[in-house]
Amino acid sequence: MTFEQAVSLLRKHYEKAKQLSHVKNQLAWALYQTWKMADKED
């Protein structure tokens, strides 16, 4: 995953987090989701 792809994915996750009422810290949730995906790649 390139840096640009990670930033794009982070933006998508952040927009999704804003729609989820159970998420209190949208940025942290988005960073975590992005990290999980980046960590799975070889």
Side-chain angles (χ1 to χ4, degrees), residues 4-36:
E4 290 77 16
Q5 290 171 327
V7 171
S8 176
L9 194 55
L10 177 60
R11 290 180 188 275
K12 290 177 187 175
H13 282 134
Y14 184 70
E15 290 303 316
K16 181 177 180 180
K18 292 194 299 186
Q19 304 296 319
L20 300 173
S21 62
H22 68 279
V23 174
K24 302 299 180 201
N25 186 336
Q26 292 94 2
L27 180 57
W29 187 89
L31 285 165
Y32 178 63
Q33 299 304 316
T34 304
W35 170 79
K36 286 194 307 186

